Amino acid sequence: MKTRIFSAGIGLLLTACGGITPPSAQQREAARAALPPLIEGVAQSQRTKGRVIALRWDIDDLVLTPERWSWREVEVIAESTERGAEAVTTEWTVSLNPADLGDQVPASLSRQAWGLQMVCAEGGCITRSGTRTTILDGERTIEVLPEERVRRAEWLFEDYEVRDDAILLVKTALGYLPR
């Protein structure tokens, strides 16, 4: 399945770069449709001196329309030691108007995972709110995180090839010529 998505992304890229004009409405729609299958969870763990540290990051409910992009993002960071396990789960609901994003979609390496960033052209155009659940010494606490406006949002990927395909598709979906 990833091969077909990759091929579709390259086709969009070649079509978009073939002329001087920005991607057409059909190319933008095709790019939006090709993005969700590329977004898969990232899971990593590292063992160090009797401790295991794990990261899990995922997106659910991804909706990409011409006027609104939204998703639910979940990040779990856990540490296991001889004393027991501690974990922090942060869940965000994120939304933005894609017209408010800049034309750059920078690649990143974040939390030891390949990522891409969506950056506002001006100010904080991305709205997010959520909850943070902490398990520490067997006690669970839940904190409601207030709605905030931020300038950047990030999607993570297991490998850089898929991330690079996603960067090209995001740029095409936004109506920019991939560079």
Side-chain angles (χ1 to χ4, degrees), residues 43-130:
Q44 302 176 348
S45 64
Q46 178 180 14
R47 184 177 300 273
T48 307
K49 297 180 183 177
R51 298 180 344 180
V52 176
I53 299 172
L55 162 73
R56 184 177 61 95
W57 179 92
D58 204 1
I59 284 182
D60 289 321
D61 307 324
L62 179 62
V63 176
L64 304 171
T65 69
E67 300 81 26
R68 182 172 180 260
W69 291 11
S70 64
W71 62 89
R72 189 174 61 85
E73 181 175 321
V74 179
E75 179 181 75
V76 180
I77 299 175
E79 179 178 6
S80 177
T81 65
E82 305 85 41
R83 305 188 329 251
E86 301 172 354
V88 176
T89 301
T90 307
E91 184 173 326
W92 293 109
T93 300
V94 182
S95 66
L96 59 92
N97 180 341
D100 294 336
L101 293 175
D103 64 351
Q104 300 298 310
V105 183
S108 64
L109 183 61
S110 177
R111 301 180 221 47
Q112 298 182 347
W114 303 103
L116 69 77
Q117 296 180 13
M118 289 166 279
V119 184
C120 300
E122 295 180 14
C125 69
I126 301 166
T127 303
R128 70 180 189 179
S129 60

Side-chain angles (χ1 to χ4, degrees), residues 11-21 23 27 168 172 176-179:
L12 286 168
L13 171 64
L14 293 174
T15 304
C17 290
I20 304 171
T21 61
Q27 290 167 325
L168 295 175
T172 301
Y176 298 116
L177 292 173
R179 296 181 227 162

